[in-house]
Amino acid sequence: MSEFISNFPILAIMSLFLGAFITSLLGRKNAVVRNVIVFISMALALIMMLALIKPVFIEGKVIGYWLGNWAPVADWAIGIGLEVDALSLFFGLIITVAVFVSGTYSFTYMSHDDSLVNYYTLFLMLSGSVLGLVLSGDLFNMFVMIEIMTFTAVALTAFRNTYEGALEGALKYLVVGALGSSSVLIGTALIYSQLHTLNLAQITALLTNDQNIVTGIAFAFLFIGFGTKAFLFPFHPLAADAHAVAPASISLMISGVLTKCGVYGIIRLVYCLYQNIDRPFVQYLVTAFGAVSMFICVTMAFNQHNFKRLLAFHSISQVGYVITAVGLGTSLGLASGLYHAMNHTIFKGLLFLTAGAVQHMTGSLDLDELGGLSKKMPRTCILFLIGAASISGLPPFNGFGSKWMIYQAAFEKSSQTGNVFFLVVCVTALITSVLTLASFVKVAQSVFFGQLNPKFENTKEVPLAMRIPMWILAILCIVTGIFPGSVANKLLMPAVNAATNTRAYVSAMMGEAYAAAHQVVHAGAADVQLIGVYSPMSWMLLLLSITSAVCLVAVLGSPEKKKLEPVVGANVPNGPMTPGSIPVTSQSREADERELITDDLDPKYESFFSGEHAEYSQVGGSDLFWGFKKNWRHYFSFMHEWHSGILNDYALYGACSLALTLLLCVLFL
Amino acid sequence: MTNVLLYAVHLFLFPGLLFIVVMGLLLAGIDRKLVARMQNRVGASILQPWYDFLKCCGKETIIPRHARKGLFLGAPVACFVILISAALFIPVFGGLSMSFEGDVVVILYLLTAAGVAIIVGSAASGSPFAGVGLSREMVAMISYELPFVLVLLAVGALCGQDSAYGVTFSMDEIVRWQTENGSSLLHPAMIPAAIAMLFVIPCEIGMHPFDIAEAETEISEGTLTEYSGAPLGVFKLCHCVKMYVMTALFCALFLGGLSTGILLVDALLEVVFCIIVTFLCMTVPHAICARFKVEQVFKFYWTFVSALALISLLLVWIMR
Amino acid sequence: MIIMNYIASFILVGLGIFCIATKRNLLKICIGSGLIDYGCNLLIVSVGFHDGGTAPIFAIRELTRASFFVDPVPQALTLTSIVIGACSTAMTLSLIIMIKKQYGTLKADKIRRLKG
Amino acid sequence: MLQNMIDSSMKKSPWIFHINAGSCNGCDIELVSVLTPRYDAERYGFKLCGSPRQADIVVVSGPVTMQSRERLRRTLAQVPEPFCVVSLGSCPRSGNVFKGSYAIDGPLEKYVHVDVSVAGCTPKPEAIIAGLAQAAQLLEEKRKEARK
């Protein structure tokens, strides 16, 4: 069994690609066959990834697999290798879980659409290429997987091509995405020109000693390439356009999974390939990119009118958190970054699925139009609240644990190195977290609470088949939130050690002697002092205070039973003073007719509207947070122009950032 | 068994539920009395908040038609629970608290969660006044969060100088450091941070000059428009408890060094200092100036008060 | 001599980026992205060049110690990247056709419904 | 025992909600002057509140005009039990100088049982405080009666 385990990575990828192939073949006939095939291939990939946990996480083995059995000849890697260490398995797990949830969700969510065979073929190709990128041990293989990922994501974004703006978003994503993948290609070519190999392990070994200017330029190209895939600062308008128009299950994939591949690429590049994370310049570069994209995207998200576009900007600002944490360079920083990446996929997936549910039922996503849906869709409202609470980092949920670790890592870094830059980053992170909370309060008020728009009078709750994946994610949100300590030790520590311990990475593929020959640094296991957030004592404390509070309120309740709303229409006399039972004189009778009292419901339970008949007046969408917007109006108007929506501008921003990074890398690296 | 009993007493009696609620009501009563005296009028009795709370519990609870019953009734209880658990993390003059390593950030986030509970409660009530009220409450929260965080970082940096990580996020560590090298108010670098904290407290609680969320004259009780009866009473109780929580936090952060070790004397000291801080930061502004406009609150906190907090943070940085 | 290839490839890439960034017509943008791909392909091919080496084509018996080949690996890479370049151009063109049908124009600055 | 304490606290902290049913603002200013330092109604616990949901004493001033009739009725319906109604000035009692006009719709008594009526065209602040104090006493009896 143990040697068979080394075939699991390729089997997982093949199960997804084969699933895509078979669905396009057999799926045309009827839906059930197609759904079964899709379900089996997703489940197979998930099971194999789970099976890999024991050897890789617990025993710490690094699984190498040479395609076509082309083992290295005379210490030179010829064939294409797959390499699974704890870091890539960590991301592999996130990806397979997200794929599984998104797939089961889209069975019912996409039922209204047509030509679903193409949808599922593209969907399985996308998940296969994403898994392939994370598990591959060969740089050019990563480039090929990035290209497949981009093409399938673009095709899926434009899947509902009659949807307003879908084609435009897809085109922008494709052109600037192609720009990013070409820079990855150029980086690969430059690395090959210097080291004459493409295998990641061998590159790591060779790069430890001879880093010249060309590898520096290759670093810049690769960093910008992976940055495009992670939608970092200059590339974030792409994600906003792509998410707003894509179906909800695909926006879950884009925001939860594609951005993680960009993050994985950057971590692999900075921690393993070049191992130059301890150089101050690289730390500044990565953290600066993360902090800027974190802050700009949250302010852009603040006054959006479209629910999914707001979620898209938030997902990039959360990815900015992850990149900032990764750029700190300390082991606590990397641990908090990985933890936040996992949490982000979970709660952002939940939020996108709730957005999909709202769109599926009401057909509109405009924040100014929606309102009061919590009465019609109560369970979706609860799910949304769980997701919103965890993204804004409220204590019992998972966002809190990871965000707080990021602040601590940033602040410790700044106090140890005595450098004010990381202090500014820490304060920006805190402000961003408050603005995230504010924008999710805005979404809660304008979509779920407030008064119901008469147009959505007959919306019903989402079918159960759509709610199951949402509940899976919600439970994951709560579980990883309550036990951050155990999550950290079992999942994060092996991944962090794997990222920093490159000797095991190299020796798994190229053999121990080769690694020794090139003095690959063997960083010790990181002794991150993980502060136990939840000791059992504080749980007892919370429980006791809850019971005391509830009985306090119950005891002091008013003597007669709290009367709920009486039967609609019946004017139940409750005491002599109800105006309903007033003597009606002739003079006031015809006054009544003139007054045309339309509402026969008991006015007692109407919301207070200073006496007026409470007609539909929803306070939501763009007329919230007036004070904040007034102070920032210059900044917001500038940002509004800057995101012009023109393809050329986005390409220009991308090219400028590429040029800037190239310049910096040539000067400092 | 004894430590569970001691723990239950600790939770319910001294620094626990009873003490916090009594202190909160006392502080609110004293504050109203002092404001009245400053306006040269007699003013209500010190027990007035207690009477208000009892009267509210005696009234009928009306749940409006548009409201979402579960959240509408649950929000006040959640807010009360969160505030009590936040208060329990604050050491009462050097001891007797459930403190562990990272609880400064837990307190910060529990206070944010209390604000979110109020917001969810008013959103669930479905009234347009509550909609405007919750957006103002959120703007107030954004505006006071920045200086509040900077003050916590400054105190953490000061009291964490000699710790391994150069910073501390634990209340016990802060109080212990202050008992050794004198409370942080005496350090010259911390004066601006103390002033900034004094400004943050009224906005966090929603006291008069900064109560843009419950502006009676403008948006008829804002967030609490639809509340009546026991939930309203619990929200008013939360308002008073928040006064105690913030003033106790101020005492722990800046006057930590004055604890004498004897339990009773410590409690009295805590009461006296809380009253002084309440007078300084809530009564005086309440009596002096009128209610701020929404964007004035935001501009005031993000420019003037944050600058104060930043100065002290940089001073601590340089003096290290 | 090989330096000319490198300069040519970087000029091609620069031209492609310039074309994408400034030209308003979608078709020109598609041509620009094609240019970038060709620049990359040229770069990859010229990376594997050895002075005096012959093409790496040989029968089983002809492989002797003395035969000196050009590095075959980049040529294999170029094959795939040419295919990928073709696919990306095909995808871009198909999107442009559908956009022309839906928006009625090819001017990039008219196609900006998703903004702000 | 607790219920008795709640009953006694009803009269110690009565919150006032003011409804202007078309008044000439003479009584409104007098009502607010009651809370100024000179007459200081707050020492008895009176406090103006912004929403009828939190009102204990509803003070109505002005002759009930046609326009304000519907709004008056709806707002009075939204006040939680037990509450008192105080009519301020002589307009709600009798329509004062506006009696018989087409725009007036009868005394306040037609719409709600008025517990305490403070007479006078702008009654003196002391009279208003006396009226409010009586209304506060009534609150306690109402709650006792409602509890039985």
Side-chain angles (χ1 to χ4, degrees):
Chain A
M1 182 57 189
S2 73
E3 51 64 308
F4 183 65
I5 286 225
S6 77
N7 302 349
F8 272 2
I10 192 64
L11 279 178
I13 303 170
M14 275 312 118
S15 83
L16 286 169
F17 278 122
L18 214 59
F21 184 66
I22 293 171
T23 12
S24 61
L25 273 180
L26 304 179
R28 287 218 189 288
K29 272 186 276 310
N30 63 14
V32 174
V33 167
R34 181 194 66 221
N35 289 358
V36 162
I37 296 169
V38 170
F39 190 81
I40 288 171
S41 55
M42 287 190 298
L44 219 59
L46 183 62
I47 291 159
M48 282 181 204
M49 282 296 129
L50 294 176
L52 278 176
I53 286 184
K54 196 171 83 56
V56 172
F57 273 139
I58 297 151
E59 285 145 15
K61 285 218 305 286
V62 180
I63 297 172
Y65 175 83
W66 289 97
L67 292 179
N69 220 333
W70 278 33
V73 170
D75 278 354
W76 207 268
I78 311 281
I80 299 174
L82 291 186
E83 180 145 18
V84 181
D85 67 348
L87 181 68
S88 35
L89 184 61
F90 179 81
F91 279 95
L93 275 175
I94 298 177
I95 286 163
T96 35
V97 166
V99 157
F100 186 75
V101 166
S102 161
T104 42
Y105 183 80
S106 55
F107 286 145
T108 44
Y109 176 71
M110 298 301 283
S111 51
H112 294 326
D113 292 68
D114 48 15
S115 75
L116 282 179
V117 181
N118 309 349
Y119 174 82
Y120 286 112
T121 321
L122 288 170
F123 178 78
L124 285 177
M125 289 268 292
L126 175 65
S127 26
S129 62
V130 158
L131 198 61
L133 179 123
V134 167
L135 302 182
S136 90
D138 180 278
L139 202 53
F140 191 77
N141 191 7
M142 277 169 110
F143 164 72
V144 172
M145 289 300 166
I146 282 181
E147 282 296 336
I148 304 173
M149 179 173 77
T150 315
F151 289 150
T152 42
V154 161
L156 284 167
T157 315
F159 187 71
R160 289 175 171 160
N161 44 30
T162 53
Y163 194 76
E164 199 263 340
L167 293 170
E168 178 191 343
L171 182 69
K172 285 181 206 162
Y173 184 20
L174 177 61
V175 171
V176 184
L179 190 74
S181 358
S182 311
S183 55
V184 169
L185 186 61
I186 296 171
T188 326
L190 290 177
I191 284 190
Y192 186 80
S193 66
Q194 294 307 310
L195 307 170
H196 296 292
T197 172
L198 288 170
N199 189 310
L200 289 182
Q202 195 166 3
I203 293 173
T204 328
L206 294 175
L207 266 181
T208 40
N209 23 48
D210 63 353
Q211 293 209 359
N212 52 30
I213 187 142
V214 177
T215 50
I217 293 174
F219 174 79
F221 272 112
L222 283 169
F223 181 73
I224 287 297
F226 287 125
T228 325
K229 290 304 146 218
F231 302 118
L232 278 183
F233 163 63
F235 303 102
H236 61 277
L238 305 180
D241 296 351
H243 286 198
V245 293
S249 54
I250 297 308
S251 23
L252 179 142
M253 286 294 288
I254 295 176
S255 83
V257 170
L258 259 68
T259 46
K260 296 303 168 298
C261 296
V263 168
Y264 168 79
I266 288 176
I267 293 177
R268 189 62 83 190
L269 183 72
V270 166
Y271 275 85
C272 300
L273 285 186
Y274 280 76
Q275 288 150 33
N276 50 11
I277 191 62
D278 37 28
R279 293 170 63 130
F281 159 68
V282 175
Q283 286 173 3
Y284 291 149
L285 179 76
V286 177
T287 317
F289 259 98
V292 168
S293 67
M294 172 168 64
F295 184 72
I296 282 193
C297 288
V298 94
T299 43
M300 267 313 286
F302 201 73
N303 49 12
Q304 287 300 333
H305 299 294
N306 184 324
F307 189 7
K308 270 214 278 209
R309 199 169 157 82
L310 183 137
L311 288 180
F313 275 114
H314 271 298
S315 69
I316 311 152
S317 93
Q318 301 295 324
V319 167
Y321 264 103
V322 174
I323 297 291
T324 327
V326 161
L328 293 176
T330 61
S331 50
L332 179 63
L334 181 59
S336 51
L338 292 178
Y339 188 24
H340 197 63
M342 182 177 82
N343 292 343
H344 169 63
T345 305
I346 295 170
F347 56 64
K348 190 42 62 88
L350 180 59
L351 287 169
F352 268 115
L353 295 190
T354 35
V358 166
Q359 185 181 19
H360 192 65
M361 276 304 152
T362 58
S364 110
L365 277 173
D366 182 3
L367 291 180
D368 301 332
E369 204 183 26
L370 287 165
L373 285 181
S374 63
K375 297 291 270 190
K376 297 291 176 189
M377 302 164 75
R379 287 174 204 82
T380 323
C381 172
I382 293 168
L383 286 163
F384 173 79
L385 285 181
I386 294 174
S390 44
I391 192 170
S392 34
L394 296 184
F397 294 100
N398 58 2
F400 170 68
S402 53
K403 273 190 181 174
W404 162 54
M405 270 163 78
I406 292 176
Y407 305 145
Q408 184 166 353
F411 199 74
E412 264 169 26
K413 175 86 181 165
S414 61
S415 56
Q416 272 158 359
T417 56
N419 167 338
V420 187
F421 171 72
F422 294 105
L423 182 68
V424 168
V425 163
C426 183
V427 171
T428 335
L430 283 160
I431 299 171
T432 316
S433 134
V434 170
L435 290 177
T436 317
L437 174 68
S439 47
F440 275 96
V441 160
K442 162 180 165 173
V443 170
Q445 163 68 3
S446 45
V447 172
F448 287 100
F449 297 111
Q451 285 167 4
L452 187 64
N453 192 334
K455 201 157 52 158
F456 305 119
E457 203 52 44
N458 41 31
T459 49
K460 290 178 298 308
E461 182 51 276
V462 183
L464 184 64
M466 275 165 95
R467 285 206 306 271
I468 292 171
M470 291 208 251
W471 275 114
I472 297 174
L473 286 177
I475 291 159
L476 274 177
C477 256
I478 296 168
V479 161
T480 46
I482 292 177
F483 307 110
S486 59
V487 162
N489 311 342
K490 291 197 188 55
L491 285 178
L492 294 180
M493 276 308 110
V496 170
N497 297 342
T500 43
N501 171 5
T502 46
R503 177 176 287 262
Y505 189 75
V506 173
S507 56
M509 292 300 267
M510 306 300 292
E512 194 54 39
Y514 188 84
H518 289 272
Q519 311 91 22
V520 175
V521 72
H522 174 70
D527 57 347
V528 164
Q529 201 264 336
L530 261 175
I531 300 122
V533 173
Y534 286 102
S535 57
M537 182 100 82
S538 42
W539 276 106
M540 215 169 85
L541 166 137
L542 212 56
L543 202 63
L544 285 177
S545 45
I546 287 176
T547 39
S548 56
V550 167
C551 63
L552 174 88
V553 170
V555 158
L556 292 175
S558 58
E560 76 273 11
K561 198 183 73 49
K562 289 188 187 56
K563 279 193 292 300
L564 293 183
E565 189 183 339
V567 172
V568 166
N571 215 332
V572 174
N574 42 21
M577 281 159 294
T578 10
S581 62
I582 52 167
V584 179
T585 58
S586 63
Q587 191 194 10
S588 69
R589 185 167 297 108
E590 58 300 334
D592 276 354
E593 273 70 35
R594 269 208 323 280
E595 193 68 51
L596 274 177
I597 296 177
T598 52
D599 184 357
D600 53 359
L601 296 177
D602 181 355
K604 175 168 186 159
Y605 295 98
E606 256 173 52
S607 55
F608 171 63
F609 210 70
S610 55
E612 293 301 325
H613 173 52
E615 76 276 359
Y616 171 67
S617 63
Q618 156 71 346
V619 175
S622 49
D623 45 19
L624 288 172
F625 307 138
W626 177 75
F628 176 74
K629 284 187 191 160
K630 184 165 191 309
N631 280 317
W632 283 47
R633 56 193 183 286
H634 300 304
Y635 171 80
F636 280 128
S637 58
F638 168 71
M639 268 305 163
H640 194 68
E641 266 76 35
W642 190 70
H643 291 76
S644 63
I646 301 169
L647 177 58
N648 305 75
D649 297 353
Y650 293 162
L652 195 64
Y653 307 147
C656 299
S657 74
L658 179 63
L660 182 74
T661 332
L662 265 174
L663 189 69
L664 290 175
C665 281
V666 165
L667 291 181
F668 296 106
L669 208 55
Chain B
M1 183 49 203
T2 54
N3 91 342
V4 168
L5 196 66
L6 175 75
Y7 180 69
V9 161
H10 179 79
L11 180 68
F12 279 101
L13 288 175
F14 170 62
L17 194 65
L18 201 60
F19 177 76
I20 295 167
V21 169
V22 164
M23 269 300 287
L25 294 174
L26 188 70
L27 285 181
I30 290 170
D31 171 63
R32 265 175 85 165
K33 189 74 173 176
L34 289 177
V35 167
R37 299 307 295 162
M38 285 175 78
Q39 293 172 347
N40 186 13
R41 54 185 173 87
V42 173
S45 79
I46 291 186
L47 296 179
Q48 191 57 33
W50 170 248
Y51 295 138
D52 289 349
F53 172 68
L54 273 183
K55 187 265 297 183
C56 284
C57 292
K59 298 272 290 187
E60 174 204 7
T61 307
I62 299 178
I63 299 160
R65 188 168 301 117
H66 290 297
R68 181 122 166 59
K69 199 163 100 60
L71 287 173
F72 184 74
L73 293 179
V77 175
C79 181
F80 182 73
V81 161
I82 290 170
L83 278 173
I84 295 292
S85 40
L88 288 172
F89 285 131
I90 299 171
V92 177
F93 269 109
L96 280 179
S97 92
M98 248 65 72
S99 171
F100 54 90
E101 174 41 33
D103 64 1
V104 166
V105 184
V106 171
I107 291 174
L108 171 73
Y109 268 94
L110 282 177
L111 290 173
T112 317
V116 167
I118 293 174
I119 283 172
V120 165
S122 61
S125 69
S127 104
F129 287 120
V132 176
L134 78 85
S135 106
R136 287 176 167 214
E137 174 88 22
M138 197 61 221
V139 168
M141 196 186 281
I142 297 172
S143 41
Y144 77 72
E145 193 86 9
L146 176 65
F148 189 34
V149 152
L150 289 177
V151 165
L152 287 179
L153 287 184
V155 173
L158 178 80
C159 303
Q161 276 163 341
D162 36 38
S163 83
Y165 297 101
V167 72
T168 171
F169 285 105
S170 136
M171 294 298 284
D172 262 355
E173 175 78 17
I174 290 174
V175 172
R176 192 163 40 74
W177 189 86
Q178 286 179 28
T179 42
E180 283 141 16
N181 333 53
S183 51
S184 53
L185 202 55
L186 308 178
H187 291 259
M190 292 309 280
I191 305 292
I195 299 167
M197 185 66 173
L198 284 180
F199 275 120
V200 161
I201 291 175
C203 183
E204 214 275 337
I205 297 162
M207 283 305 286
H208 171 65
F210 305 104
D211 63 346
I212 51 180
E214 283 105 18
E216 295 87 14
T217 46
E218 288 140 26
I219 43 174
S220 81
E221 294 293 328
T223 43
L224 304 177
T225 310
E226 288 304 322
Y227 275 92
S228 63
L232 175 68
V234 172
F235 262 133
K236 293 289 177 192
L237 190 67
C238 290
H239 177 82
C240 306
V241 164
K242 225 184 235 188
M243 287 173 77
Y244 167 72
V245 167
M246 290 308 288
T247 39
L249 191 64
F250 182 87
C251 297
L253 288 178
F254 291 99
L255 309 166
L258 306 176
S259 64
T260 57
I262 309 148
L263 189 63
L264 201 58
V265 173
D266 270 357
L268 283 178
L269 221 57
E270 175 89 10
V271 169
V272 166
F273 275 115
C274 281
I275 291 170
I276 294 168
V277 171
T278 318
F279 176 74
L280 266 180
C281 70
M282 283 180 248
T283 316
V284 167
H286 184 180
I288 288 175
C289 53
R291 181 178 300 121
F292 276 50
K293 288 199 324 213
V294 181
E295 78 271 11
Q296 279 172 341
V297 167
F298 183 78
K299 192 176 287 181
F300 172 69
Y301 272 95
W302 271 45
T303 49
F304 177 66
V305 178
S306 317
L308 272 174
L310 259 178
I311 293 166
S312 72
L313 192 60
L314 295 180
L315 280 178
V316 165
W317 205 268
I318 296 156
M319 298 236 298
R320 185 106 60 116
Chain C
M1 224 321 270
I2 193 67
I3 200 73
M4 291 305 297
N5 285 28
Y6 294 136
I7 295 167
S9 70
F10 277 106
I11 288 172
L12 266 176
V13 170
L15 214 61
I17 292 178
F18 173 78
C19 170
I20 286 184
T22 50
K23 286 291 174 264
R24 288 294 181 210
N25 188 330
L26 281 185
L27 283 177
K28 291 187 178 127
I29 290 171
C30 177
I31 295 165
S33 75
L35 271 179
I36 295 178
D37 287 336
Y38 302 145
C40 304
N41 297 345
L42 179 60
L43 177 71
I44 300 174
V45 170
S46 45
V47 155
F49 176 75
H50 293 300
D51 219 347
T54 61
I57 304 158
F58 54 89
I60 302 304
R61 281 176 310 286
E62 283 160 12
L63 185 62
T64 61
R65 270 271 161 249
S67 55
F68 177 60
F69 294 130
V70 172
D71 185 349
V73 173
Q75 291 165 6
L77 305 186
T78 324
L79 277 180
T80 21
S81 87
I82 289 172
V83 165
I84 289 172
C87 295
S88 106
T89 320
M91 180 80 125
T92 322
L93 284 180
S94 61
L95 280 174
I96 289 172
I97 294 166
M98 292 169 81
I99 282 182
K100 176 78 170 82
K101 217 177 294 173
Q102 205 177 40
Y103 286 73
T105 162
L106 276 181
K107 283 276 166 287
D109 47 17
K110 297 264 182 321
I111 301 165
R112 48 181 298 199
R113 289 195 193 142
L114 296 171
K115 60 183 187 309
Chain D
M1 192 280 292
L2 189 68
Q3 296 304 338
N4 298 346
M5 272 173 66
I6 292 178
D7 292 346
S8 74
S9 77
M10 294 300 273
K11 69 170 182 299
K12 288 206 180 73
S13 90
W15 289 353
I16 302 168
F17 179 72
H18 172 66
I19 297 180
N20 177 345
S23 124
C24 66
N25 286 6
C27 301
D28 308 338
I29 302 163
E30 284 306 308
L31 178 68
V32 179
S33 74
V34 155
L35 295 162
T36 53
R38 182 169 169 73
Y39 296 100
D40 191 15
E42 204 191 340
R43 59 196 134 121
Y44 305 116
F46 291 110
K47 180 171 93 84
L48 265 179
C49 65
S51 130
R53 299 283 191 213
Q54 296 155 10
D56 297 329
I57 297 174
V58 180
V59 175
V60 183
S61 67
V64 184
T65 58
M66 296 303 277
Q67 287 292 346
S68 68
R69 190 164 49 80
E70 183 54 33
R71 292 160 180 85
L72 174 74
R73 182 189 298 177
R74 181 167 286 110
T75 313
L76 282 173
Q78 287 170 354
V79 183
E81 300 299 328
F83 70 100
C84 295
V85 177
V86 171
S87 73
L88 189 60
S90 56
C91 284
R93 281 163 64 102
S94 62
N96 203 342
V97 290
F98 313 106
K99 185 168 176 53
S101 130
Y102 61 87
I104 300 299
D105 195 3
L108 181 63
E109 194 59 44
K110 278 171 57 179
Y111 297 99
V112 72
H113 167 65
V114 179
D115 299 292
V116 177
S117 167
V118 184
C121 195
T122 64
K124 289 169 65 67
E126 294 87 348
I128 296 175
I129 291 179
L132 291 176
Q134 256 181 2
Q137 297 297 342
L138 278 175
L139 273 177
E140 189 178 6
E141 279 96 30
K142 283 197 183 190
R143 185 148 191 289
K144 277 205 179 76
E145 176 203 309
R147 222 156 31 80
K148 269 192 270 311

